[in-house]
Amino acid sequence: SKGQNLRTADPSEKCGVLNVTKITENGKKLRKNWTSSWTVLQGSSLLFAKGQGASTSWKFGSNQSKPEFTVDLRGASVEWASKEKSSKKHVIELKTRQGMELLIQSEIDSVINDWYRALTETVNTHAWE
Ligand code: I3S
């Protein structure tokens, strides 16, 4: 049928700069370490790269940099973080099935709202397999 080879804008593909910190890994509480990170949502994976500014022309998979870490969103939970979790505004709390908890944040209201929407949509469509 027509359009078979057409690619439309995929809401599960998104990227941008966010502030991120892990707070738990393998069930162990970590000391917060907020860093600005280039963030890519790709299917059910969320990839973070350290030290990549917004203006850097750069891609995952190139020789220049590798993802700092990757989060499997299948079976994860996404919610707005409570005030106890952070004093910052606009913080999303992400909990994975692998026992990682992280906070992601942007000072920009519309930016974090778009991420919240994209992440909840991803979690809802990629159920745990
Ligand atoms: O939840 P916490 O421990 O109060 O988090 C804050 C600390 O990690 C702090 O660093 P140190 O206390 O390790 O020096 C950070 O600078 C703050 O940003 C953390 O709190 P927020 O509320 O910004 O997530």
Side-chain angles (χ1 to χ4, degrees):
S1 65
K2 79 167 181 170
Q4 205 164 11
N5 297 316
L6 290 181
R7 295 201 55 176
T8 52
D10 187 342
S12 72
E13 302 273 337
K14 181 172 175 56
C15 56
V17 176
L18 292 172
N19 300 316
V20 59
T21 182
K22 288 184 191 173
I23 53 171
T24 304
E25 196 163 33
N26 303 316
K28 267 192 167 179
K29 196 170 182 281
L30 301 176
R31 187 173 183 172
K32 275 184 191 164
N33 180 26
W34 284 105
T35 52
S36 176
S37 181
W38 182 248
T39 308
V40 178
L41 175 62
Q42 215 166 58
S44 62
S45 294
L46 189 63
L47 303 89
F48 296 96
K50 222 183 202 171
Q52 298 291 335
S55 63
T56 313
S57 90
W58 168 89
K59 284 177 181 170
F60 286 120
S62 76
N63 293 327
Q64 291 158 321
S65 190
K66 284 187 178 144
E68 179 74 9
F69 65 99
T70 301
V71 172
D72 183 356
L73 292 173
R74 293 173 300 169
S77 74
V78 179
E79 56 189 285
W80 292 109
S82 67
K83 281 178 186 153
E84 289 72 41
K85 294 280 168 145
S86 178
S87 61
K88 297 185 195 304
K89 275 187 203 167
H90 318 306
V91 181
I92 294 171
E93 184 180 15
L94 214 56
K95 294 184 187 179
T96 74
R97 288 292 281 246
Q98 293 76 35
M100 190 195 288
E101 297 181 10
L102 49 148
L103 302 178
I104 63 175
Q105 190 262 358
S106 170
E107 293 299 325
I108 306 159
D109 214 325
S110 57
V111 168
I112 200 70
N113 283 326
D114 283 353
W115 276 100
Y116 184 84
R117 218 170 295 130
L119 290 169
T120 49
E121 222 169 85
T122 300
V123 165
N124 289 339
T125 48
H126 295 270
W128 187 249
E129 285 132 27

